[in-house]
PDB file of all heavy atoms in Angstrom:
ATOM      1  N   THR O 237       0.815  -1.214   0.000  1.00 98.00           N
ATOM      2  CA  THR O 237       0.000   0.000   0.000  1.00 98.00           C
ATOM      3  C   THR O 237       0.845   1.258   0.000  1.00 98.00           C
ATOM      4  O   THR O 237       1.994   1.261   0.431  1.00 98.00           O
ATOM      5  CB  THR O 237      -0.937   0.036   1.216  1.00 98.00           C
ATOM      6  OG1 THR O 237      -0.160  -0.027   2.422  1.00 98.00           O
ATOM      7  CG2 THR O 237      -1.901  -1.133   1.182  1.00 98.00           C
ATOM      8  N   ASN O 238       0.237   2.326  -0.481  1.00 98.00           N
ATOM      9  CA  ASN O 238       0.864   3.632  -0.511  1.00 98.00           C
ATOM     10  C   ASN O 238      -0.215   4.672  -0.242  1.00 98.00           C
ATOM     11  O   ASN O 238      -1.285   4.624  -0.838  1.00 98.00           O
ATOM     12  CB  ASN O 238       1.529   3.881  -1.863  1.00 98.00           C
ATOM     13  CG  ASN O 238       2.233   5.220  -1.933  1.00 98.00           C
ATOM     14  OD1 ASN O 238       2.895   5.628  -0.984  1.00 98.00           O
ATOM     15  ND2 ASN O 238       2.123   5.903  -3.063  1.00 98.00           N
ATOM     16  N   TYR O 239       0.074   5.616   0.673  1.00 98.00           N
ATOM     17  CA  TYR O 239      -0.897   6.634   1.048  1.00 98.00           C
ATOM     18  C   TYR O 239      -0.312   8.023   0.916  1.00 98.00           C
ATOM     19  O   TYR O 239       0.874   8.250   1.153  1.00 98.00           O
ATOM     20  CB  TYR O 239      -1.341   6.468   2.498  1.00 98.00           C
ATOM     21  CG  TYR O 239      -2.107   5.208   2.795  1.00 98.00           C
ATOM     22  CD1 TYR O 239      -1.454   4.057   3.225  1.00 98.00           C
ATOM     23  CD2 TYR O 239      -3.492   5.170   2.675  1.00 98.00           C
ATOM     24  CE1 TYR O 239      -2.164   2.900   3.516  1.00 98.00           C
ATOM     25  CE2 TYR O 239      -4.201   4.017   2.964  1.00 98.00           C
ATOM     26  CZ  TYR O 239      -3.531   2.885   3.384  1.00 98.00           C
ATOM     27  OH  TYR O 239      -4.237   1.742   3.678  1.00 98.00           O
ATOM     28  N   ALA O 240      -1.175   8.959   0.566  1.00 98.00           N
ATOM     29  CA  ALA O 240      -0.795  10.358   0.647  1.00 98.00           C
ATOM     30  C   ALA O 240      -0.613  10.738   2.113  1.00 98.00           C
ATOM     31  O   ALA O 240      -1.322  10.236   2.984  1.00 98.00           O
ATOM     32  CB  ALA O 240      -1.861  11.244   0.009  1.00 98.00           C
ATOM     33  N   ASP O 241       0.332  11.619   2.390  1.00 98.00           N
ATOM     34  CA  ASP O 241       0.592  12.018   3.770  1.00 98.00           C
ATOM     35  C   ASP O 241      -0.656  12.596   4.443  1.00 98.00           C
ATOM     36  O   ASP O 241      -0.863  12.411   5.647  1.00 98.00           O
ATOM     37  CB  ASP O 241       1.720  13.045   3.823  1.00 98.00           C
ATOM     38  CG  ASP O 241       3.079  12.447   3.524  1.00 98.00           C
ATOM     39  OD1 ASP O 241       3.227  11.213   3.623  1.00 98.00           O
ATOM     40  OD2 ASP O 241       4.000  13.216   3.192  1.00 98.00           O
ATOM     41  N   SER O 242      -1.486  13.272   3.683  1.00 98.00           N
ATOM     42  CA  SER O 242      -2.649  13.936   4.234  1.00 98.00           C
ATOM     43  C   SER O 242      -3.726  12.983   4.746  1.00 98.00           C
ATOM     44  O   SER O 242      -4.603  13.397   5.506  1.00 98.00           O
ATOM     45  CB  SER O 242      -3.265  14.880   3.196  1.00 98.00           C
ATOM     46  OG  SER O 242      -3.657  14.167   2.041  1.00 98.00           O
ATOM     47  N   VAL O 243      -3.665  11.713   4.344  1.00 98.00           N
ATOM     48  CA  VAL O 243      -4.698  10.760   4.751  1.00 98.00           C
ATOM     49  C   VAL O 243      -4.160   9.623   5.601  1.00 98.00           C
ATOM     50  O   VAL O 243      -4.950   8.797   6.083  1.00 98.00           O
ATOM     51  CB  VAL O 243      -5.444  10.178   3.532  1.00 98.00           C
ATOM     52  CG1 VAL O 243      -5.984  11.292   2.648  1.00 98.00           C
ATOM     53  CG2 VAL O 243      -4.541   9.242   2.734  1.00 98.00           C
ATOM     54  N   LYS O 244      -2.867   9.571   5.824  1.00 98.00           N
ATOM     55  CA  LYS O 244      -2.284   8.504   6.630  1.00 98.00           C
ATOM     56  C   LYS O 244      -2.864   8.508   8.040  1.00 98.00           C
ATOM     57  O   LYS O 244      -2.986   9.551   8.672  1.00 98.00           O
ATOM     58  CB  LYS O 244      -0.764   8.653   6.699  1.00 98.00           C
ATOM     59  CG  LYS O 244      -0.044   8.277   5.420  1.00 98.00           C
ATOM     60  CD  LYS O 244       1.466   8.421   5.569  1.00 98.00           C
ATOM     61  CE  LYS O 244       2.177   8.013   4.290  1.00 98.00           C
ATOM     62  NZ  LYS O 244       3.647   8.205   4.391  1.00 98.00           N
ATOM     63  N   GLY O 245      -3.226   7.324   8.501  1.00 98.00           N
ATOM     64  CA  GLY O 245      -3.816   7.191   9.822  1.00 98.00           C
ATOM     65  C   GLY O 245      -5.310   7.377   9.845  1.00 98.00           C
ATOM     66  O   GLY O 245      -5.952   7.054  10.849  1.00 98.00           O
ATOM     67  N   ARG O 246      -5.885   7.887   8.765  1.00 98.00           N
ATOM     68  CA  ARG O 246      -7.329   8.111   8.696  1.00 98.00           C
ATOM     69  C   ARG O 246      -8.006   7.231   7.651  1.00 98.00           C
ATOM     70  O   ARG O 246      -9.138   6.787   7.862  1.00 98.00           O
ATOM     71  CB  ARG O 246      -7.637   9.576   8.383  1.00 98.00           C
ATOM     72  CG  ARG O 246      -7.109  10.550   9.425  1.00 98.00           C
ATOM     73  CD  ARG O 246      -7.620  11.962   9.166  1.00 98.00           C
ATOM     74  NE  ARG O 246      -7.162  12.489   7.873  1.00 98.00           N
ATOM     75  CZ  ARG O 246      -7.963  12.879   6.895  1.00 98.00           C
ATOM     76  NH1 ARG O 246      -9.285  12.818   7.056  1.00 98.00           N
ATOM     77  NH2 ARG O 246      -7.466  13.353   5.762  1.00 98.00           N
ATOM     78  N   PHE O 247      -7.332   7.013   6.537  1.00 98.00           N
ATOM     79  CA  PHE O 247      -7.893   6.219   5.445  1.00 98.00           C
ATOM     80  C   PHE O 247      -7.206   4.862   5.381  1.00 98.00           C
ATOM     81  O   PHE O 247      -6.014   4.743   5.670  1.00 98.00           O
ATOM     82  CB  PHE O 247      -7.698   6.913   4.097  1.00 98.00           C
ATOM     83  CG  PHE O 247      -8.501   8.169   3.897  1.00 98.00           C
ATOM     84  CD1 PHE O 247      -9.208   8.753   4.940  1.00 98.00           C
ATOM     85  CD2 PHE O 247      -8.541   8.771   2.651  1.00 98.00           C
ATOM     86  CE1 PHE O 247      -9.938   9.918   4.748  1.00 98.00           C
ATOM     87  CE2 PHE O 247      -9.267   9.929   2.444  1.00 98.00           C
ATOM     88  CZ  PHE O 247      -9.964  10.503   3.492  1.00 98.00           C
ATOM     89  N   THR O 248      -7.952   3.855   4.967  1.00 98.00           N
ATOM     90  CA  THR O 248      -7.401   2.522   4.774  1.00 98.00           C
ATOM     91  C   THR O 248      -7.869   1.963   3.441  1.00 98.00           C
ATOM     92  O   THR O 248      -9.070   1.908   3.179  1.00 98.00           O
ATOM     93  CB  THR O 248      -7.816   1.560   5.900  1.00 98.00           C
ATOM     94  OG1 THR O 248      -7.390   2.074   7.166  1.00 98.00           O
ATOM     95  CG2 THR O 248      -7.182   0.187   5.683  1.00 98.00           C
ATOM     96  N   ILE O 249      -6.927   1.556   2.611  1.00 98.00           N
ATOM     97  CA  ILE O 249      -7.266   0.944   1.339  1.00 98.00           C
ATOM     98  C   ILE O 249      -7.150  -0.573   1.475  1.00 98.00           C
ATOM     99  O   ILE O 249      -6.251  -1.084   2.149  1.00 98.00           O
ATOM    100  CB  ILE O 249      -6.369   1.468   0.194  1.00 98.00           C
ATOM    101  CG1 ILE O 249      -6.888   0.991  -1.166  1.00 98.00           C
ATOM    102  CG2 ILE O 249      -4.913   1.061   0.391  1.00 98.00           C
ATOM    103  CD1 ILE O 249      -6.219   1.677  -2.355  1.00 98.00           C
ATOM    104  N   SER O 250      -8.067  -1.280   0.859  1.00 97.00           N
ATOM    105  CA  SER O 250      -8.048  -2.734   0.880  1.00 97.00           C
ATOM    106  C   SER O 250      -8.596  -3.244  -0.442  1.00 97.00           C
ATOM    107  O   SER O 250      -9.142  -2.476  -1.239  1.00 97.00           O
ATOM    108  CB  SER O 250      -8.853  -3.295   2.053  1.00 97.00           C
ATOM    109  OG  SER O 250     -10.212  -2.904   1.973  1.00 97.00           O
ATOM    110  N   ARG O 251      -8.434  -4.538  -0.674  1.00 96.00           N
ATOM    111  CA  ARG O 251      -8.922  -5.089  -1.937  1.00 96.00           C
ATOM    112  C   ARG O 251      -9.394  -6.518  -1.774  1.00 96.00           C
ATOM    113  O   ARG O 251      -9.005  -7.224  -0.839  1.00 96.00           O
ATOM    114  CB  ARG O 251      -7.847  -4.992  -3.029  1.00 96.00           C
ATOM    115  CG  ARG O 251      -6.861  -6.168  -3.124  1.00 96.00           C
ATOM    116  CD  ARG O 251      -5.945  -6.257  -1.944  1.00 96.00           C
ATOM    117  NE  ARG O 251      -4.944  -7.304  -2.134  1.00 96.00           N
ATOM    118  CZ  ARG O 251      -4.301  -7.912  -1.152  1.00 96.00           C
ATOM    119  NH1 ARG O 251      -4.531  -7.561   0.115  1.00 96.00           N
ATOM    120  NH2 ARG O 251      -3.410  -8.850  -1.414  1.00 96.00           N
ATOM    121  N   ASP O 252     -10.242  -6.936  -2.686  1.00 94.00           N
ATOM    122  CA  ASP O 252     -10.689  -8.309  -2.800  1.00 94.00           C
ATOM    123  C   ASP O 252     -10.310  -8.739  -4.210  1.00 94.00           C
ATOM    124  O   ASP O 252     -11.016  -8.426  -5.171  1.00 94.00           O
ATOM    125  CB  ASP O 252     -12.193  -8.427  -2.569  1.00 94.00           C
ATOM    126  CG  ASP O 252     -12.676  -9.860  -2.564  1.00 94.00           C
ATOM    127  OD1 ASP O 252     -12.023 -10.732  -3.169  1.00 94.00           O
ATOM    128  OD2 ASP O 252     -13.734 -10.122  -1.953  1.00 94.00           O
ATOM    129  N   ASN O 253      -9.198  -9.426  -4.337  1.00 89.00           N
ATOM    130  CA  ASN O 253      -8.691  -9.795  -5.657  1.00 89.00           C
ATOM    131  C   ASN O 253      -9.660 -10.689  -6.433  1.00 89.00           C
ATOM    132  O   ASN O 253      -9.755 -10.586  -7.656  1.00 89.00           O
ATOM    133  CB  ASN O 253      -7.339 -10.500  -5.526  1.00 89.00           C
ATOM    134  CG  ASN O 253      -6.231  -9.566  -5.085  1.00 89.00           C
ATOM    135  OD1 ASN O 253      -6.353  -8.343  -5.178  1.00 89.00           O
ATOM    136  ND2 ASN O 253      -5.131 -10.132  -4.609  1.00 89.00           N
ATOM    137  N   ALA O 254     -10.356 -11.562  -5.731  1.00 90.00           N
ATOM    138  CA  ALA O 254     -11.292 -12.467  -6.387  1.00 90.00           C
ATOM    139  C   ALA O 254     -12.446 -11.716  -7.038  1.00 90.00           C
ATOM    140  O   ALA O 254     -13.018 -12.175  -8.027  1.00 90.00           O
ATOM    141  CB  ALA O 254     -11.819 -13.502  -5.400  1.00 90.00           C
ATOM    142  N   LYS O 255     -12.801 -10.560  -6.484  1.00 93.00           N
ATOM    143  CA  LYS O 255     -13.901  -9.755  -7.003  1.00 93.00           C
ATOM    144  C   LYS O 255     -13.428  -8.556  -7.816  1.00 93.00           C
ATOM    145  O   LYS O 255     -14.250  -7.767  -8.273  1.00 93.00           O
ATOM    146  CB  LYS O 255     -14.786  -9.268  -5.859  1.00 93.00           C
ATOM    147  CG  LYS O 255     -15.469 -10.375  -5.078  1.00 93.00           C
ATOM    148  CD  LYS O 255     -16.334  -9.800  -3.966  1.00 93.00           C
ATOM    149  CE  LYS O 255     -17.044 -10.900  -3.196  1.00 93.00           C
ATOM    150  NZ  LYS O 255     -17.882 -10.351  -2.096  1.00 93.00           N
ATOM    151  N   ASN O 256     -12.117  -8.428  -7.986  1.00 94.00           N
ATOM    152  CA  ASN O 256     -11.540  -7.276  -8.687  1.00 94.00           C
ATOM    153  C   ASN O 256     -12.076  -5.962  -8.123  1.00 94.00           C
ATOM    154  O   ASN O 256     -12.433  -5.045  -8.868  1.00 94.00           O
ATOM    155  CB  ASN O 256     -11.821  -7.361 -10.188  1.00 94.00           C
ATOM    156  CG  ASN O 256     -11.066  -8.487 -10.855  1.00 94.00           C
ATOM    157  OD1 ASN O 256     -10.018  -8.920 -10.384  1.00 94.00           O
ATOM    158  ND2 ASN O 256     -11.590  -8.970 -11.975  1.00 94.00           N
ATOM    159  N   THR O 257     -12.111  -5.890  -6.815  1.00 96.00           N
ATOM    160  CA  THR O 257     -12.705  -4.753  -6.130  1.00 96.00           C
ATOM    161  C   THR O 257     -11.723  -4.138  -5.139  1.00 96.00           C
ATOM    162  O   THR O 257     -11.013  -4.858  -4.435  1.00 96.00           O
ATOM    163  CB  THR O 257     -13.987  -5.166  -5.390  1.00 96.00           C
ATOM    164  OG1 THR O 257     -14.939  -5.663  -6.340  1.00 96.00           O
ATOM    165  CG2 THR O 257     -14.605  -3.985  -4.659  1.00 96.00           C
ATOM    166  N   VAL O 258     -11.709  -2.823  -5.094  1.00 97.00           N
ATOM    167  CA  VAL O 258     -10.892  -2.094  -4.136  1.00 97.00           C
ATOM    168  C   VAL O 258     -11.807  -1.227  -3.283  1.00 97.00           C
ATOM    169  O   VAL O 258     -12.838  -0.732  -3.756  1.00 97.00           O
ATOM    170  CB  VAL O 258      -9.819  -1.237  -4.848  1.00 97.00           C
ATOM    171  CG1 VAL O 258     -10.455  -0.139  -5.694  1.00 97.00           C
ATOM    172  CG2 VAL O 258      -8.843  -0.646  -3.841  1.00 97.00           C
ATOM    173  N   TYR O 259     -11.432  -1.049  -2.013  1.00 98.00           N
ATOM    174  CA  TYR O 259     -12.224  -0.275  -1.075  1.00 98.00           C
ATOM    175  C   TYR O 259     -11.371   0.834  -0.469  1.00 98.00           C
ATOM    176  O   TYR O 259     -10.150   0.722  -0.378  1.00 98.00           O
ATOM    177  CB  TYR O 259     -12.754  -1.151   0.057  1.00 98.00           C
ATOM    178  CG  TYR O 259     -13.512  -2.371  -0.407  1.00 98.00           C
ATOM    179  CD1 TYR O 259     -12.860  -3.593  -0.567  1.00 98.00           C
ATOM    180  CD2 TYR O 259     -14.872  -2.310  -0.680  1.00 98.00           C
ATOM    181  CE1 TYR O 259     -13.547  -4.713  -0.993  1.00 98.00           C
ATOM    182  CE2 TYR O 259     -15.564  -3.430  -1.106  1.00 98.00           C
ATOM    183  CZ  TYR O 259     -14.902  -4.630  -1.259  1.00 98.00           C
ATOM    184  OH  TYR O 259     -15.591  -5.741  -1.680  1.00 98.00           O
ATOM    185  N   LEU O 260     -12.032   1.879  -0.039  1.00 98.00           N
ATOM    186  CA  LEU O 260     -11.368   2.943   0.693  1.00 98.00           C
ATOM    187  C   LEU O 260     -12.220   3.289   1.897  1.00 98.00           C
ATOM    188  O   LEU O 260     -13.295   3.876   1.756  1.00 98.00           O
ATOM    189  CB  LEU O 260     -11.157   4.180  -0.182  1.00 98.00           C
ATOM    190  CG  LEU O 260     -10.345   5.306   0.466  1.00 98.00           C
ATOM    191  CD1 LEU O 260      -8.894   4.867   0.670  1.00 98.00           C
ATOM    192  CD2 LEU O 260     -10.398   6.581  -0.377  1.00 98.00           C
ATOM    193  N   GLN O 261     -11.745   2.899   3.077  1.00 98.00           N
ATOM    194  CA  GLN O 261     -12.413   3.241   4.319  1.00 98.00           C
ATOM    195  C   GLN O 261     -11.876   4.585   4.784  1.00 98.00           C
ATOM    196  O   GLN O 261     -10.686   4.720   5.052  1.00 98.00           O
ATOM    197  CB  GLN O 261     -12.161   2.171   5.380  1.00 98.00           C
ATOM    198  CG  GLN O 261     -12.804   2.459   6.728  1.00 98.00           C
ATOM    199  CD  GLN O 261     -14.312   2.460   6.673  1.00 98.00           C
ATOM    200  OE1 GLN O 261     -14.913   1.554   6.109  1.00 98.00           O
ATOM    201  NE2 GLN O 261     -14.931   3.480   7.249  1.00 98.00           N
ATOM    202  N   MET O 262     -12.738   5.573   4.882  1.00 98.00           N
ATOM    203  CA  MET O 262     -12.351   6.927   5.241  1.00 98.00           C
ATOM    204  C   MET O 262     -12.940   7.273   6.598  1.00 98.00           C
ATOM    205  O   MET O 262     -14.156   7.349   6.754  1.00 98.00           O
ATOM    206  CB  MET O 262     -12.815   7.925   4.177  1.00 98.00           C
ATOM    207  CG  MET O 262     -12.308   7.614   2.775  1.00 98.00           C
ATOM    208  SD  MET O 262     -12.780   8.875   1.557  1.00 98.00           S
ATOM    209  CE  MET O 262     -14.553   8.609   1.505  1.00 98.00           C
ATOM    210  N   ASN O 263     -12.072   7.480   7.573  1.00 98.00           N
ATOM    211  CA  ASN O 263     -12.476   7.843   8.925  1.00 98.00           C
ATOM    212  C   ASN O 263     -11.974   9.236   9.262  1.00 98.00           C
ATOM    213  O   ASN O 263     -11.071   9.763   8.616  1.00 98.00           O
ATOM    214  CB  ASN O 263     -11.938   6.839   9.942  1.00 98.00           C
ATOM    215  CG  ASN O 263     -12.451   5.439   9.732  1.00 98.00           C
ATOM    216  OD1 ASN O 263     -13.589   5.235   9.318  1.00 98.00           O
ATOM    217  ND2 ASN O 263     -11.607   4.448  10.026  1.00 98.00           N
ATOM    218  N   SER O 264     -12.556   9.821  10.296  1.00 98.00           N
ATOM    219  CA  SER O 264     -12.155  11.153  10.756  1.00 98.00           C
ATOM    220  C   SER O 264     -12.099  12.144   9.604  1.00 98.00           C
ATOM    221  O   SER O 264     -11.136  12.895   9.440  1.00 98.00           O
ATOM    222  CB  SER O 264     -10.796  11.083  11.468  1.00 98.00           C
ATOM    223  OG  SER O 264     -10.839  10.196  12.567  1.00 98.00           O
ATOM    224  N   LEU O 265     -13.138  12.155   8.814  1.00 98.00           N
ATOM    225  CA  LEU O 265     -13.161  12.992   7.617  1.00 98.00           C
ATOM    226  C   LEU O 265     -13.129  14.476   7.961  1.00 98.00           C
ATOM    227  O   LEU O 265     -13.718  14.922   8.944  1.00 98.00           O
ATOM    228  CB  LEU O 265     -14.386  12.670   6.775  1.00 98.00           C
ATOM    229  CG  LEU O 265     -14.266  11.384   5.952  1.00 98.00           C
ATOM    230  CD1 LEU O 265     -15.633  10.890   5.510  1.00 98.00           C
ATOM    231  CD2 LEU O 265     -13.364  11.618   4.743  1.00 98.00           C
ATOM    232  N   LYS O 266     -12.433  15.218   7.124  1.00 98.00           N
ATOM    233  CA  LYS O 266     -12.279  16.656   7.267  1.00 98.00           C
ATOM    234  C   LYS O 266     -12.872  17.361   6.052  1.00 98.00           C
ATOM    235  O   LYS O 266     -12.962  16.776   4.977  1.00 98.00           O
ATOM    236  CB  LYS O 266     -10.796  17.023   7.382  1.00 98.00           C
ATOM    237  CG  LYS O 266     -10.037  16.304   8.478  1.00 98.00           C
ATOM    238  CD  LYS O 266      -8.551  16.646   8.408  1.00 98.00           C
ATOM    239  CE  LYS O 266      -7.763  15.938   9.488  1.00 98.00           C
ATOM    240  NZ  LYS O 266      -6.315  16.251   9.405  1.00 98.00           N
ATOM    241  N   PRO O 267     -13.255  18.632   6.199  1.00 97.00           N
ATOM    242  CA  PRO O 267     -13.743  19.375   5.036  1.00 97.00           C
ATOM    243  C   PRO O 267     -12.746  19.378   3.880  1.00 97.00           C
ATOM    244  O   PRO O 267     -13.163  19.412   2.716  1.00 97.00           O
ATOM    245  CB  PRO O 267     -13.956  20.789   5.594  1.00 97.00           C
ATOM    246  CG  PRO O 267     -14.274  20.567   7.034  1.00 97.00           C
ATOM    247  CD  PRO O 267     -13.403  19.408   7.445  1.00 97.00           C
ATOM    248  N   GLU O 268     -11.462  19.336   4.187  1.00 97.00           N
ATOM    249  CA  GLU O 268     -10.429  19.314   3.155  1.00 97.00           C
ATOM    250  C   GLU O 268     -10.453  18.043   2.313  1.00 97.00           C
ATOM    251  O   GLU O 268      -9.814  17.991   1.260  1.00 97.00           O
ATOM    252  CB  GLU O 268      -9.030  19.465   3.779  1.00 97.00           C
ATOM    253  CG  GLU O 268      -8.878  20.673   4.683  1.00 97.00           C
ATOM    254  CD  GLU O 268      -9.174  20.344   6.132  1.00 97.00           C
ATOM    255  OE1 GLU O 268     -10.348  20.469   6.540  1.00 97.00           O
ATOM    256  OE2 GLU O 268      -8.228  19.967   6.858  1.00 97.00           O
ATOM    257  N   ASP O 269     -11.159  17.020   2.774  1.00 98.00           N
ATOM    258  CA  ASP O 269     -11.279  15.783   2.016  1.00 98.00           C
ATOM    259  C   ASP O 269     -12.341  15.873   0.927  1.00 98.00           C
ATOM    260  O   ASP O 269     -12.476  14.950   0.120  1.00 98.00           O
ATOM    261  CB  ASP O 269     -11.610  14.612   2.942  1.00 98.00           C
ATOM    262  CG  ASP O 269     -10.504  14.330   3.948  1.00 98.00           C
ATOM    263  OD1 ASP O 269      -9.322  14.349   3.561  1.00 98.00           O
ATOM    264  OD2 ASP O 269     -10.836  14.080   5.124  1.00 98.00           O
ATOM    265  N   THR O 270     -13.097  16.949   0.911  1.00 98.00           N
ATOM    266  CA  THR O 270     -14.144  17.122  -0.087  1.00 98.00           C
ATOM    267  C   THR O 270     -13.541  17.139  -1.490  1.00 98.00           C
ATOM    268  O   THR O 270     -12.653  17.935  -1.791  1.00 98.00           O
ATOM    269  CB  THR O 270     -14.922  18.415   0.154  1.00 98.00           C
ATOM    270  OG1 THR O 270     -15.604  18.333   1.412  1.00 98.00           O
ATOM    271  CG2 THR O 270     -15.945  18.647  -0.952  1.00 98.00           C
ATOM    272  N   ALA O 271     -14.027  16.257  -2.345  1.00 98.00           N
ATOM    273  CA  ALA O 271     -13.502  16.132  -3.701  1.00 98.00           C
ATOM    274  C   ALA O 271     -14.287  15.066  -4.446  1.00 98.00           C
ATOM    275  O   ALA O 271     -15.087  14.342  -3.859  1.00 98.00           O
ATOM    276  CB  ALA O 271     -12.015  15.755  -3.681  1.00 98.00           C
ATOM    277  N   VAL O 272     -14.037  14.984  -5.738  1.00 98.00           N
ATOM    278  CA  VAL O 272     -14.500  13.847  -6.505  1.00 98.00           C
ATOM    279  C   VAL O 272     -13.424  12.781  -6.416  1.00 98.00           C
ATOM    280  O   VAL O 272     -12.256  13.045  -6.721  1.00 98.00           O
ATOM    281  CB  VAL O 272     -14.776  14.205  -7.977  1.00 98.00           C
ATOM    282  CG1 VAL O 272     -15.179  12.964  -8.765  1.00 98.00           C
ATOM    283  CG2 VAL O 272     -15.865  15.265  -8.064  1.00 98.00           C
TER     284      VAL O 272
END
């Protein structure tokens, strides 16, 4: 895994290879996280 410094400790990326799916768990969200 690789994370931007701004999200380390708050976001967690994971994947399910069998389903070709990736997830992003976002905790402690800040207004600065607003984006597409």
